[in-house]
Amino acid sequence: MAEHVILFTGPMGAGKTTAIEKLSEIDVVRTEAANTERQVADKATTTVALDYGEIVLDDQDKVRLYGIPGQRRFDFMWTILKERAKGMVLLVHNDADDPIGRAVEYLDEFADLYAKGGVVIGITRIDIAPGPSVTDYAAALAVAHPDKIVPIYTVDPRQRDQMRTLLMTLVANIETRDMFVERVPQREELVAE
Ligand SMILES: Nc1nc2c(ncn2[C@@H]2O[C@H](COP(=O)(O)OP(=O)(O)OP(=O)(O)O)[C@@H](O)[C@H]2O)c(=O)[nH]1
Ligand SMILES: [Mg+2]
């Protein structure tokens, strides 16, 4: 059975914990504490260390789901979890301040994960804020990260099927890339020939 470690990143209130709760087939380990920043995200609690859940896709891929805290003051956890992960689900809520700017910022911060495996973006809370559109995000990312092709979807993290599709897209991308890397002769082999 293949195993993948996937990080859920994004600003405070984007829906990372909600998504992991929906996807996980085990009881989720949560580290919620009272939210003292209600002006940033109007909800009772916030993640202070990590979320952890697991799901098996198609009986063959075990996916370990890690959610990071959205608040920057807990970003020491980002560094720890970044090392372990192979891919990232970046969730950005469309009603955030400058949501496109936040998406670019997270892609900058976690660029290693793009190189290691793959990244997919889910824009959330579009029922609350319908714009900006997927096209607006794509245009901004093409300028900020012209070397990256990142799939962008709109999702509602409260809907399990939507999150499952997003996750399966990411895992398929990672596996395709792994296969390609295995097949392409490495530089040392070419030198030896
Ligand atoms: N209406 C609506 N609500 C949503 C949507 N996505 C998430 N939410 C709600 O927004 C809130 C998101 O909260 P969390 O899941 O705790 O967000 P988080 O990303 O884990 O936030 P931090 O841990 O604080 O960084 C929850 O109350 C969700 O029910 C959406 O698409 N539409
Ligand atoms: Mg959370």
Side-chain angles (χ1 to χ4, degrees), residues 12-18 43 46-47 70 125 127-128 156-158:
M12 188 180 174
K16 303 173 295 289
T17 300
T18 307
K43 59 194 184 102
T46 184
T47 305
R125 293 167 67 97
D127 53 320
I128 296 167
D156 185 335
R158 299 166 302 173

Side-chain angles (χ1 to χ4, degrees), residues 8-125:
F8 283 67
T9 69
M12 188 180 174
K16 303 173 295 289
T17 300
T18 307
I20 291 175
E21 287 273 3
K22 279 289 163 194
L23 283 167
S24 182
E25 293 164 344
I26 62 162
D27 284 344
V28 171
V29 176
R30 293 169 47 134
T31 58
E32 298 287 304
N35 176 14
T36 53
E37 299 198 17
R38 293 295 279 255
Q39 75 287 359
V40 179
D42 189 18
K43 59 194 184 102
T45 64
T46 184
T47 305
V48 292
L50 56 79
D51 303 310
Y52 177 72
E54 289 178 8
I55 182 174
V56 176
L57 296 174
D58 292 337
D59 286 336
Q60 55 177 351
D61 290 311
K62 178 167 178 171
V63 187
R64 297 182 184 277
L65 313 163
Y66 285 92
I68 64 161
Q71 288 187 65
R72 201 86 222 194
R73 63 190 156 125
F74 301 120
D75 67 3
F76 61 96
M77 284 308 297
W78 298 11
T79 318
I80 295 168
L81 293 172
K82 193 152 65 170
E83 298 285 302
R84 296 201 44 153
K86 182 102 183 260
M88 157 165 96
V89 173
L90 166 55
L91 298 180
V92 180
H93 52 306
N94 230 15
D95 59 330
D97 265 353
D98 185 18
I100 293 180
R102 303 308 304 276
V104 170
E105 184 189 306
Y106 273 85
L107 213 50
D108 290 345
E109 179 79 37
F110 291 91
D112 288 1
L113 289 184
Y114 181 86
K116 267 206 273 179
V119 173
V120 65
I121 296 180
I123 305 165
T124 67
R125 293 167 67 97

Side-chain angles (χ1 to χ4, degrees), residues 181-182 184-193:
V181 169
E182 276 163 22
V184 174
Q186 299 302 296
R187 196 166 165 273
E188 307 77 61
E189 294 172 56
L190 291 173
V191 172
E193 272 170 14

